[in-house]
Amino acid sequence: MSNRCNLIRDILPLYVEGMVSTDTREFVREHLKHCEECRAELEHMQKPADPIPDADIVPLKRIKKELFVKRLQTVFFTAILACAIVTVAFGILTSPEFFPYSDHLFRVIDGADGSITITFDHKVTGYSCVKEFDNETQTEIYRINAWTTTWDLYSSNRGKQNMIIPSDRENKIQIFYAQNDGSEDVLIYGINENTEENGVTLPRLILMPYFLLAIAALIILAMMRFLLKNKSAFTIWLDRMLLFPISYIAAQLCTKGICFTTYSSQRDFCILILVTILFYFATLTGTSLYKAKIAPSQKKDEKKR
Ligand SMILES: [Zn+2]
């Protein structure tokens, strides 16, 4: 290190603070251009000054980010809750109301090619058909039903519904109309050779086991939550898991009430699961927003203690 370098090092603190004359500043600058060691020294001296503005920026950035996340959560919460309400309303409005059997409900016409056409009355907006095969009597058995929905009553007419049952004329055909109200199915085509009754199409109790499962899960998780209440690592996850059976139970009550039987099990179950998922994410974001809201006041309480 040269003498000049020593001199420069003595001046550098003042130079950094900008407390040197123009000539001195020029002198230092000129030296720094050519001396790598002094340049490094200058950089070293300037560094400690940096964290001071940073210290202010970092919390500000964090607050901005937190605010952004909170706003995003609020938008997400509102959107998903709106989706859930729309889905529940859609489920209720489009739930099929089955028609009981009557002479005017449909006409059964034999086609020239052996097929059978069932033409429903204009008030019927939907139908479904279940096919079975009786090996003993070599008979194809069809059980059909017809319905309309609240939605269809107020929306435009869908026109006449036609249903065609193809036949190769090898098997006998029986068609029953399932009334779906607990009363006996009505034979509308073919001959019932069995002296037995026509049978009753029963609703499926598919929703009950899932509901009981949700209640069991809720009780078990609530008990675990109580026992592990001091272990925050577990309670965070338990709280999240608890929301799922709660969402399922809420979805069941919103879409089907306390009715656990269904004649359209696939449809009802799909809507139920969709509403459950929407409720789950809505409650998840909702609780996170709620916690963020009460967290600052809790912190204040802790400080007081
Ligand atoms: Zn130097």
Side-chain angles (χ1 to χ4, degrees):
M1 210 184 286
S2 68
N3 279 339
R4 183 167 280 196
C5 282
N6 278 332
L7 186 67
I8 292 291
R9 300 281 163 97
D10 286 343
I11 307 168
L12 268 181
L14 292 171
Y15 173 83
V16 168
E17 296 294 324
M19 290 167 78
V20 286
S21 69
T22 323
D23 289 344
T24 315
R25 196 185 305 137
E26 273 310 303
F27 170 68
V28 174
R29 251 182 217 167
E30 200 56 38
H31 177 81
L32 289 172
K33 270 183 194 168
H34 309 291
C35 177
E36 204 174 308
E37 282 171 19
C38 286
R39 243 188 350 253
E41 182 65 25
L42 174 72
E43 274 168 25
H44 179 73
M45 286 175 86
Q46 281 173 331
K47 257 186 189 164
D50 289 343
I52 296 160
D54 266 2
D56 286 336
I57 288 166
V58 168
L60 199 71
K61 269 185 182 169
R62 214 187 60 216
I63 290 165
K64 267 189 179 173
K65 199 184 162 192
E66 275 175 7
L67 270 175
F68 177 72
V69 169
K70 211 174 157 186
R71 207 170 293 159
L72 210 67
Q73 277 182 328
T74 313
V75 170
F76 186 70
F77 175 70
T78 317
I80 212 146
L81 203 64
C83 279
I85 292 165
V86 167
T87 314
V88 168
F90 173 81
I92 292 167
L93 288 173
T94 61
S95 105
E97 289 161 30
F98 296 99
F99 288 107
Y101 175 78
S102 78
D103 289 340
H104 314 291
L105 202 59
F106 47 76
R107 285 192 305 149
V108 184
I109 303 151
D110 267 310
D113 57 348
S115 66
I116 301 153
T117 306
I118 298 170
T119 309
F120 291 98
D121 187 85
H122 65 85
K123 66 188 175 194
V124 174
T125 51
Y127 64 83
S128 63
C129 176
V130 182
K131 187 185 173 183
E132 305 156 30
F133 189 77
D134 187 351
N135 280 319
E136 231 175 83
T137 54
Q138 294 291 301
T139 310
E140 289 175 33
I141 300 169
Y142 295 87
R143 288 183 195 275
I144 61 164
N145 57 43
W147 73 77
T148 190
T149 66
T150 313
W151 178 270
D152 290 332
L153 284 179
Y154 296 103
S155 65
S156 60
N157 198 337
R158 277 209 237 156
K160 278 206 168 169
Q161 303 278 325
N162 282 319
M163 184 185 150
I164 295 167
I165 294 172
S167 167
D168 48 17
R169 292 187 185 177
E170 273 177 23
N171 300 316
K172 281 178 275 183
I173 288 178
Q174 279 179 3
I175 305 171
F176 289 94
Y177 182 73
Q179 310 203 64
N180 285 359
D181 58 359
S183 42
E184 196 179 62
D185 294 354
V186 181
L187 183 71
I188 60 169
Y189 185 90
I191 304 151
N192 193 0
E193 288 162 358
N194 297 333
T195 46
E196 292 163 35
E197 290 166 352
N198 290 345
V200 178
T201 301
L202 290 171
R204 297 188 63 189
L205 202 61
I206 184 174
L207 303 175
M208 189 52 124
Y210 293 114
F211 188 73
L212 293 177
L213 203 68
I215 288 180
L218 181 63
I219 293 169
I220 291 165
L221 288 170
M223 277 164 67
M224 281 170 76
R225 175 72 173 80
F226 180 75
L227 292 171
L228 297 167
K229 63 185 168 190
N230 294 324
K231 293 180 180 171
S232 60
F234 288 105
T235 53
I236 290 169
W237 286 101
L238 281 171
D239 282 347
R240 287 175 191 171
M241 281 158 75
L242 261 169
L243 292 175
F244 204 77
I246 291 172
S247 301
Y248 183 86
I249 292 164
Q252 159 75 42
L253 296 177
C254 285
T255 54
K256 292 283 289 178
I258 49 162
C259 171
F260 299 101
T261 60
T262 172
Y263 284 102
S264 38
S265 51
Q266 273 182 346
R267 186 201 99 94
D268 285 357
F269 195 63
C270 283
I271 289 176
L272 192 53
I273 290 300
L274 185 61
V275 174
T276 303
I277 291 166
L278 290 171
F279 274 177
Y280 178 73
F281 284 109
T283 47
L284 201 63
T285 358
T287 47
S288 147
L289 279 171
Y290 177 73
K291 272 180 191 165
K293 206 177 173 185
I294 61 160
S297 60
Q298 273 183 346
K299 270 178 195 165
K300 269 179 209 163
D301 289 347
E302 275 165 22
K303 268 182 193 171
K304 273 178 197 168
R305 277 175 217 159

